[in-house]
Amino acid sequence: AKQHLALTLILAATPSLGIGRAGALPWPQLRKEMAYFRRVTSRVPKSVPTSGGSKRCNAVVMGRKTWDSIPPRFRPLEGRVNVVVTRSPGAFTAKLGAAGGGKEGHGNVQAVSSLHDALSLLQSYHSAPGEASDRTEARPEIGRVFVIGGATMYDAAMALPQTERALLTKIQEEYECDTFFSVDLDRDEGWRRCGKEEVEGWVGEQIEPVEEKGVKFEFQMFERVR
Ligand code: FOL
């Protein structure tokens, strides 16, 4: 079992590091940006071994408000283990059940009460079958673990040394925001911006600056240096 679960933040932000407004994204829907998010969080590197036929997939960890912000038809995010951090995991799970019959109730989402508990849970997926928790359904091999927001989860993750990497989509236009990312990665000496080839190697696809609906954005990656 792997001792150290590396975390990757993924976010999109305006030049002033705005990430949200009124419980939603601040910008008009950017389909190519969202498609990048879906591909990158879904893609499992070849290096993740598959033992005994179980599926390999990544995990996404999010705060409860971020869960609420995802359109119900898209949640839980498919092909990824979803972990929701909430002060009331019991109430969250009960509500999922009450939604009844919909895809939200179809496993693949678990509620925990802290980022630490989310990591313990995902760590347990790495253990030998049967050893991990009391889950009886198929337990996929976990590849990468992404923290997908919001501000509270990003702050908690940034305080952890296992947060080694951040994928930042820099939106080159200002929008009114009420929620911000707290670290300017370009100016923080604890972080280094990676070159294009490094980004492409890690995310597993070629990247180019994009313009959509007159909005330019750029896919960046940063690595913790100390
Ligand atoms: N990171 C980046 N780069 N862009 C984002 O928009 C983003 N959003 C969140 C976290 N990190 C991000 C949190 N908000 C969906 C909706 C909101 C959301 C995250 C994901 C969502 O519905 N995702 C679907 C794709 C939907 C579609 O194709 O339109 C998914 O399957 O990932």
Side-chain angles (χ1 to χ4, degrees), residues 24-139:
L25 296 172
W27 38 83
Q29 191 176 38
L30 300 173
R31 295 181 54 188
K32 290 178 185 172
E33 210 294 307
M34 190 53 83
Y36 172 82
F37 169 90
R38 177 174 33 74
R39 288 193 307 275
V40 169
T41 56
S42 300
R43 187 174 288 127
V44 185
K46 295 269 187 295
S47 57
V48 176
T50 167
S51 62
S54 77
K55 289 180 300 184
R56 299 148 73 249
C57 75
N58 294 333
V60 290
V61 178
M62 72 193 92
R64 193 267 308 161
K65 291 179 186 174
T66 294
W67 169 271
D68 286 344
S69 81
I70 299 173
R73 68 184 182 284
F74 289 128
R75 68 194 194 202
L77 299 180
E78 70 173 24
R80 292 147 285 180
V81 167
N82 288 229
V83 182
V84 177
V85 179
T86 165
R87 287 188 178 82
S88 313
F92 181 90
T93 306
K95 207 165 153 191
L96 274 185
K103 80 188 264 273
E104 287 188 352
H106 284 191
N108 199 30
V109 51
Q110 288 181 269
V112 296
S113 58
S114 66
L115 178 58
H116 180 267
D117 284 0
L119 302 185
S120 303
L121 174 69
L122 293 169
Q123 190 79 61
S124 77
Y125 278 59
H126 285 286
S127 330
E131 183 185 322
S133 74
D134 51 9
R135 301 182 70 239
T136 48
E137 69 238 59
R139 199 183 316 105

Side-chain angles (χ1 to χ4, degrees), residues 157-173:
M158 289 296 282
L160 300 177
Q162 57 262 50
T163 298
E164 294 179 344
R165 193 174 304 279
L167 296 172
L168 169 65
T169 301
K170 188 58 84 72
I171 310 282
Q172 320 274 33
E173 190 172 320

